[in-house]
Amino acid sequence: MTRLTSVTRALITAVAALLAATVSVSPAQAGPEPKAPRDFVTLRSVDPTILQEMRYFTPHNFVGERIDGYHQPVCILTRPAAEALHKAQRKLLRQGYTLKVYDCYRPQRAVDHFVRWAEDLDDQSMKGEFYPNVDKTRLFADGYIAEKSGHSRGSTLDVTLVKLPAAPTRPYRPGEPLVPCVAPRDERFPDNSVDMGTGFDCFDTLSHTLDPRVQGAQRANRLLLKDTLEGLGFVNLAEEWWHYTFKPEPHPGTYFDFPVSRKSLAGRH
C-alpha cells in the first residue's frame, strides 16, 4: 500500500511539472505578430485611385486557396515605392489608364506556403490556368518558385494597366473550368486589365516582358507600363511583365514576415 502511494505521488508530481512547463512556454508561442517598420504604408493612403485586386487573399491564384499571411486584401509598400507609383498613376490617368496591383508586400510565410505547394507534386488543381505548359517538377529549376522573394522586402509589386472607365471583374468561382493563361484574351478568365498577352502569374515564357512572340497592341501595352514605371525608378523583372521593384530599396537585405493587414502598420493608415 505504501509503495503504491509513493508511485502515485511520483506520477502526480511528474504530471504537475509537465503542466507547469506547458503553461510557461505557451505565452511565448502565442506572442504578438511582428509589425511593419515605420516607412511602410498602405498604398491607398498615398493614392486611393489605384485599383487593387489582391489575388493572394483569394483562391484565384496558382495554389488555389488564400495564401498564408494575407489577413486583409490591402496593398502595403515602402513609402518611396508607394509615392513613385502615385507619380506613375498621375501620368497614366492623363492618358486614359489606371494602374491595378495584384500583389505588393508579401510576408515570408506566404513564400513558404508557395514552397510547400510546389513540393506537393500531387496538387495540380490550378495547372490548367497558371502553368498549363510547365511540368510542376520544373517550378524551382525554371525559377517560377523560390525560397525568397523580393516582395518580402516591401518595394516590389505586381501591377497591370486598366483602360478607363474600368469595367468590373467578376469574382472567381472555385472549381470553375480553367482556361490556360496563354489563351487569347477573350477566352481567358475575364480581367478588366488591358491585353498583356497572358494572364497574371502565368508560368510560361510568353510572360517574359519582351518575348518576341508578343506583338501589336499586347506589346504596346507592356511597353507603356514598362516605360512609365522605369521612368520613375522601377526595375522590371524580365521574366514577368507584371513584376516591378522600386530602386534603391530601403530594405535591400531584409525579408519581413509581418501579416498583410492594416494592424501591421501599428495605427497608421
Side-chain angles (χ1 to χ4, degrees), residues 53-58 60-62 70 100-104 106 114 129-132 151 157-160 179-182 188-189 191 193-194 196-204 207 222 240-244:
E53 185 182 323
M54 308 304 292
R55 285 286 188 90
Y56 299 137
F57 182 75
T58 79
H60 190 207
N61 58 66
F62 57 86
Y70 285 81
K100 180 174 79 171
V101 293
Y102 293 112
D103 192 39
C104 301
R106 180 186 306 164
F114 292 165
E129 179 173 352
F130 292 97
Y131 54 108
H151 283 272
L157 64 150
D158 295 331
V159 62
T160 189
V179 177
C181 55
V182 294
R188 298 195 302 262
F189 180 84
D191 187 318
S193 71
V194 300
M196 293 290 193
T198 76
F200 164 62
D201 253 1
C202 187
F203 296 177
D204 196 278
S207 295
R222 291 187 183 191
E240 299 177 353
W241 60 256
W242 55 82
H243 181 116
Y244 286 85

Side-chain angles (χ1 to χ4, degrees), residues 9 41-42 52 92 109 114 125 154 173 206 240 251 258:
R9 287 175 178 169
V41 296
T42 63
Q52 299 186 27
L92 289 164
R109 70 191 74 180
F114 292 165
S125 62
R173 298 183 294 271
L206 201 63
E240 299 177 353
H251 305 281
F258 59 86

Side-chain angles (χ1 to χ4, degrees), residues 13-59:
T13 301
V15 170
L18 180 61
L19 289 173
T22 302
V23 170
S24 66
V25 300
S26 293
Q29 292 173 345
E33 289 278 18
K35 298 292 185 182
R38 296 296 303 179
D39 61 342
F40 278 72
V41 296
T42 63
L43 176 60
R44 198 170 300 281
S45 69
V46 176
D47 192 319
T49 70
I50 296 175
L51 302 181
Q52 299 186 27
E53 185 182 323
M54 308 304 292
R55 285 286 188 90
Y56 299 137
F57 182 75
T58 79

Side-chain angles (χ1 to χ4, degrees), residues 100-163:
K100 180 174 79 171
V101 293
Y102 293 112
D103 192 39
C104 301
Y105 159 75
R106 180 186 306 164
Q108 181 61 45
R109 70 191 74 180
V111 179
D112 296 341
H113 192 168
F114 292 165
V115 170
R116 291 195 305 273
W117 166 83
E119 291 173 341
D120 181 4
L121 300 182
D122 292 330
D123 184 352
Q124 304 267 349
S125 62
M126 301 302 284
K127 177 178 175 62
E129 179 173 352
F130 292 97
Y131 54 108
N133 301 321
V134 178
D135 192 291
K136 195 174 182 182
T137 61
R138 298 288 308 169
L139 294 184
F140 288 106
D142 291 350
Y144 294 113
I145 299 293
E147 294 183 352
K148 295 291 184 181
S149 170
H151 283 272
S152 302
R153 300 194 296 261
S155 296
T156 295
L157 64 150
D158 295 331
V159 62
T160 189
L161 294 173
V162 175
K163 185 70 174 175

